[in-house]
Amino acid sequence: MMMAVAVVVLDTCVLISFAQVHRFDILQDLAGVEFLTTEHVLEEITDEKQREEIELQIRSGLINIQKLINPATIQMYFEMRRYIGPGEASCIALARENNWIIGSDDKKKVPGLVSEHIGDNHLITTKQLLRRAINQVIIDSEEVEDIQRTLEQISRERIKEMLT
């Protein structure tokens, strides 16, 4: 019996989170999940080290780049751009066209837009991906806590840099 594959279109924030902790191996080991992103998302990644790490994952085949080609998808992209950034908008447009899932940590506008335009249960966060990895015995809860602490520390440092 073949396992159903869930396709997740990764937004900038999820890609950056895995790049910051150097743990793309977790995504690699997740069973039944295929990862995509868009060129719009890649354009949002400005940190050179993060971009290099993400591009390595693309070259390895873990993450595929999907272009917006369908005219209705492109129209949806421009509609979403009124509310959110290009990376998020491209992910929502692509996921809507294909009934895929969006990987995003945005808590403000993305959840409502995903629910409205694609449906419930079409959004997964970094924490939920990590929870899935625990359930598949890829990592344990202690590793997840370490990852979350590291991400929180990085976030605090970035805020300090912005304020000084």
Side-chain angles (χ1 to χ4, degrees), residues 13 30 33 59 62 108-109 135 139 147 162 164:
C13 49
L30 280 176
V33 185
R59 286 192 302 276
L62 173 62
K108 295 178 184 173
K109 294 183 180 177
N135 293 342
I139 57 175
I147 289 168
M162 289 169 42
T164 57

Side-chain angles (χ1 to χ4, degrees), residues 80-120:
M80 291 294 103
R81 282 292 288 125
R82 296 186 312 191
Y83 310 107
I84 53 180
E88 297 158 328
S90 65
C91 290
I92 289 176
L94 189 60
R96 180 176 187 227
E97 173 188 351
N98 298 285
N99 199 32
W100 289 337
I101 298 166
I102 295 180
S104 179
D105 291 329
D106 178 271
K107 293 180 175 88
K108 295 178 184 173
K109 294 183 180 177
V110 171
L113 291 169
V114 168
S115 180
E116 178 183 343
H117 293 281
I118 306 170
D120 295 330

Side-chain angles (χ1 to χ4, degrees), residues 4-154:
V5 174
V7 178
V8 178
V9 185
L10 298 172
D11 188 11
T12 310
C13 49
V14 175
L15 284 171
I16 287 174
S17 290
F18 282 96
Q20 287 175 323
V21 295
H22 311 287
R23 291 304 307 265
F24 279 105
D25 60 299
I26 295 169
L27 297 182
Q28 179 73 48
D29 294 340
L30 280 176
V33 185
E34 178 183 335
F35 296 101
L36 305 172
T37 195
T38 69
E39 292 172 329
H40 297 92
V41 168
L42 293 180
E43 290 169 6
E44 290 183 339
I45 300 167
T46 57
D47 182 279
E48 192 174 313
K49 288 181 182 182
Q50 292 169 0
R51 188 171 181 91
E52 286 175 13
E53 187 155 351
I54 292 164
E55 287 176 349
L56 176 64
Q57 302 311 316
I58 292 166
R59 286 192 302 276
S60 77
L62 173 62
I63 302 165
N64 293 304
I65 302 294
Q66 186 81 32
K67 293 184 179 188
L68 306 184
I69 298 171
N70 181 321
T73 303
I74 294 168
Q75 182 178 348
M76 176 66 154
Y77 166 77
F78 284 111
E79 181 182 327
M80 291 294 103
R81 282 292 288 125
R82 296 186 312 191
Y83 310 107
I84 53 180
E88 297 158 328
S90 65
C91 290
I92 289 176
L94 189 60
R96 180 176 187 227
E97 173 188 351
N98 298 285
N99 199 32
W100 289 337
I101 298 166
I102 295 180
S104 179
D105 291 329
D106 178 271
K107 293 180 175 88
K108 295 178 184 173
K109 294 183 180 177
V110 171
L113 291 169
V114 168
S115 180
E116 178 183 343
H117 293 281
I118 306 170
D120 295 330
N121 301 316
H122 280 79
L123 180 66
I124 191 166
T125 64
T126 299
K127 286 183 181 183
Q128 290 168 325
L129 287 166
L130 293 172
R131 176 74 44 214
R132 185 176 279 204
I134 289 172
N135 293 342
Q136 292 184 18
V137 196
I138 296 167
I139 57 175
D140 60 32
S141 57
E142 204 169 286
E143 285 178 279
V144 169
E145 289 174 14
D146 287 344
I147 289 168
Q148 289 176 333
R149 272 194 298 274
T150 301
L151 290 172
E152 288 168 6
Q153 179 63 33
I154 291 167

